[in-house]
Amino acid sequence: MNSAVVLLTVFGLSLRLSLAVQVGLSHKVLVFPYETDFSFVALVPQKELELRAFTLCMRVATELPEERQIILFAYRTADYDELNVWREKDGRVSFYMRGDGVFFHLPPLTTFRTSLCLTWDSHTGLSAFWVEGKRSTYQVYKPGHTIRPKGSILLGQDPDKHLGDLEAIQSFVGEMTDLNMWDFVLSKSAIHAWNNGHQGPKGNIFDWATIEYELHGNVMVVEDD
Amino acid sequence: MNSAVVLLTVFGLSLRLSLAVQVGLSHKVLVFPYETDFSFVALVPQKELELRAFTLCMRVATELPEERQIILFAYRTADYDELNVWREKDGRVSFYMRGDGVFFHLPPLTTFRTSLCLTWDSHTGLSAFWVEGKRSTYQVYKPGHTIRPKGSILLGQDPDKHLGDLEAIQSFVGEMTDLNMWDFVLSKSAIHAWNNGHQGPKGNIFDWATIEYELHGNVMVVEDD
Amino acid sequence: MNSAVVLLTVFGLSLRLSLAVQVGLSHKVLVFPYETDFSFVALVPQKELELRAFTLCMRVATELPEERQIILFAYRTADYDELNVWREKDGRVSFYMRGDGVFFHLPPLTTFRTSLCLTWDSHTGLSAFWVEGKRSTYQVYKPGHTIRPKGSILLGQDPDKHLGDLEAIQSFVGEMTDLNMWDFVLSKSAIHAWNNGHQGPKGNIFDWATIEYELHGNVMVVEDD
């Protein structure tokens, strides 16, 4: 339960909430039904996010209008956004590691589920999104960079400059499922396997089937039908 | 023929029309060829619509322009719209149970047939549309609500505040077929079965093969080719 | 190494660069990560481009905005653009042989790889683009024309009126791979074979597996995953 203690440190507001780490979301979907500034899911990683490469995959669906900014994944240490993934106001999908981000033109997120992966490798800086198993054009982003460990990982909200300062207008509304993360770049065939729901390498940072998570505010866990 | 009497009570104007309840539309399509304020099909349910959950499915095609409001299904008791399904002016598809509705961004209805299901469960409030068997993002809508019985069910027109007050500008023009309704939420696989025309659980409120219906005004029953 | 000498003659600025001709890009992708006026790849053909017919194929992906002009292929002799392929500001794809060009409405180039071929035959003037193996409508363009030999072939930049004068605003940003060129019009089935990665006739002007090329500026050669 160390991770729960870390979270307490980072989000002052969490002190008022019951922190119950739950385990495993196999065949489950997270439903964020309303726009709020208090609903989120904190994730406890299997290992620290000291990363020089990663693959992050999730399935995501939203009814939010196209011009609305949406946080898709937020990993923050004390003073920095270490790894944030956004759907931007202009519809592009982006990610940021400590400072300026990189932007991709992908098919729009819709009310139907989109399978989305993101890969990045510090050695080359090559980064790409994968939509339904199809890779976007590579972009070179922050070669040589390292993601720092010992932060907090949230779904549904972006913890802003002031920790715990959450904004409804950036919140996620919709469904997320099948989030997995690896500390290396998956091969194309492994991403295809994940996309098709076949057995591939299990996420060694997050594995949806055994993921440790805490629900805060109004988030529903629904059987995936 | 109790249900026909109920209909007489609800729509004063029906007194002037011949009320002939017909049975069964297997392999048939309802064609609403023109915009009118007098053409509709009244449906007689197998059981009263006292509902805490439902699945409503139909196949629908229309040439109406995208910015035109269209009524897709109307169930009304004396003073309330109990369950209305609309294509809105902004293109979204919506449903309403007594008051404010809930809105979904779906692929547009077109001249080609769209398979459309709607599921709602009072226990959780989870509601979703299913397009060609693909589920939209869940929205939470009126958990705890109950749909009231003993109303009238129309295709093609929306009976407005003043009963029998129909508006051409909201009327349906196009084709409807294969409408089925259940008093529970169908499983994903059962919706897929319906979508693919395979045998699934028969609708226990409406079963297109044995549905009781009355044609009013200019509605054609056409063999489905 | 004659061709390298030719290149030296044509591009004065090349004198300052190390000219290392490399061979073969099998299972490799060229990544042009940034908008520059100095990054390009010079190609050395297997035979001179004295052409009365050709087929040019490549797979291309870009993140550049739709309204941005993009050079896709440039072959220039001393005073003329002999064969330039563009994505125009209005989104159309075009090619030019000495003077006015011809324009095609194709599906937009996106962040995902597009398989693109271009065929032209001097005898009839019939020209067409092939997208994922599907042929565009034929257009008749410069029947009787001959493409002249002894020019320079660039990917990534358009050498303008003033030789060596490159413009960032026309440069290519994104990925190119699997470029092949033949001095005749490939059959539909041969284009399908190329499109599907099957063995067809090897390019006799360019064959990606054995292509001779020189990297200039910031261009990456990446393993195709």
Side-chain angles (χ1 to χ4, degrees), chain A residues 33-46:
Chain A
Y34 307 114
E35 186 173 278
T36 72
D37 61 1
F38 58 85
S39 301
F40 61 91
V41 178
L43 300 179
V44 184
Q46 294 172 38

Side-chain angles (χ1 to χ4, degrees), chain A residues 92 103-107 124 126 129-131 134-141 143 186 188, chain C residues 29 31-34 61-65 110-113 173-175 220 222-225:
Chain A
R92 290 186 295 177
F103 301 80
F104 292 78
H105 293 93
L106 305 182
T124 57
L126 287 175
F129 280 93
W130 302 69
V131 179
K134 267 170 67 180
R135 182 171 63 73
S136 76
T137 304
Y138 277 130
Q139 296 197 50
V140 172
Y141 181 58
L186 283 191
K188 178 178 172 176
Chain C
V29 185
V31 177
F32 298 76
Y34 308 114
T62 183
E63 279 281 334
L64 287 169
T110 72
T111 195
F112 303 116
R113 225 169 258 181
V173 182
E175 300 180 23
M220 300 164 74
V222 173
E223 198 69 28
D224 193 13
D225 55 353

Side-chain angles (χ1 to χ4, degrees), chain C residues 1-8 19-23 44 212 214:
Chain C
M1 287 298 171
N2 278 346
S3 48
V5 176
V6 167
L7 196 86
L8 280 166
L19 291 183
V21 175
Q22 302 180 62
V23 179
V44 183
E212 295 183 43
E214 297 169 353

Side-chain angles (χ1 to χ4, degrees), chain B:
Chain B
M1 287 301 171
N2 278 346
S3 49
V5 175
V6 167
L7 196 86
L8 280 167
T9 313
V10 176
F11 297 102
L13 59 81
S14 297
L15 286 166
R16 288 171 284 131
L17 302 170
S18 65
L19 292 185
V21 175
Q22 302 180 62
V23 179
L25 285 165
S26 198
H27 304 294
K28 296 283 201 305
V29 185
L30 297 173
V31 178
F32 298 76
Y34 308 114
E35 185 174 279
T36 72
D37 62 0
F38 58 85
S39 301
F40 62 92
V41 177
L43 301 179
V44 183
Q46 295 171 39
K47 52 161 60 182
E48 280 300 340
L49 275 70
E50 187 162 15
L51 300 174
R52 296 183 59 77
F54 70 85
T55 301
L56 172 65
C57 291
M58 65 178 79
R59 297 188 220 277
V60 60
T62 183
E63 281 281 338
L64 287 169
E66 288 217 11
E67 66 281 5
R68 166 70 146 69
Q69 198 182 23
I70 313 174
I71 185 75
L72 296 174
F73 183 89
Y75 170 54
R76 187 177 172 83
T77 49
D79 296 322
Y80 292 97
D81 289 327
E82 291 291 341
L83 172 55
N84 280 14
V85 184
W86 291 92
R87 206 273 306 268
E88 302 282 342
K89 279 180 189 169
D90 64 3
R92 290 186 296 176
V93 176
S94 60
F95 80 106
Y96 295 77
M97 299 186 299
R98 294 197 167 221
D100 289 345
V102 61
F103 301 80
F104 293 78
H105 293 92
L106 305 182
L109 297 182
T110 71
T111 194
F112 305 114
R113 224 170 259 181
T114 296
S115 290
L116 196 67
C117 293
L118 168 60
T119 54
W120 173 76
D121 176 45
S122 177
H123 183 62
T124 56
L126 288 175
S127 64
F129 280 93
W130 302 68
V131 179
E132 312 298 334
K134 267 171 65 181
R135 181 170 64 73
S136 76
T137 304
Y138 277 130
Q139 297 197 50
V140 172
Y141 181 58
K142 303 212 169 173
H145 180 78
T146 302
I147 296 175
R148 313 282 171 89
K150 302 197 173 162
S152 297
I153 303 146
L154 295 198
L155 301 179
Q157 297 286 346
D158 175 41
D160 252 340
K161 285 165 200 140
H162 309 289
L163 294 180
D165 181 7
L166 306 176
E167 285 186 60
I169 199 62
Q170 299 182 320
S171 70
F172 177 76
V173 182
E175 299 180 24
M176 285 186 176
T177 188
D178 217 0
L179 184 143
N180 285 265
M181 193 170 183
W182 299 260
D183 63 358
F184 56 93
V185 172
L186 283 191
S187 70
K188 179 178 171 175
S189 61
I191 287 180
H192 285 187
W194 173 82
N195 182 53
N196 296 321
H198 300 152
Q199 188 61 54
K202 288 185 177 184
N204 62 358
I205 300 176
F206 298 116
D207 173 9
W208 195 244
T210 59
I211 199 165
E212 295 184 43
Y213 65 99
E214 297 169 354
L215 302 176
H216 295 254
N218 192 346
V219 185
M220 302 163 73
V221 176
V222 172
E223 199 68 27
D224 193 11
D225 54 355

Side-chain angles (χ1 to χ4, degrees), chain A residues 10-32:
Chain A
V10 176
F11 298 102
L13 57 84
S14 298
L15 286 166
R16 289 171 284 130
L17 302 170
S18 65
L19 291 184
V21 174
Q22 302 180 60
V23 178
L25 284 166
S26 198
H27 304 295
K28 296 283 201 306
V29 186
L30 296 174
V31 177
F32 298 77

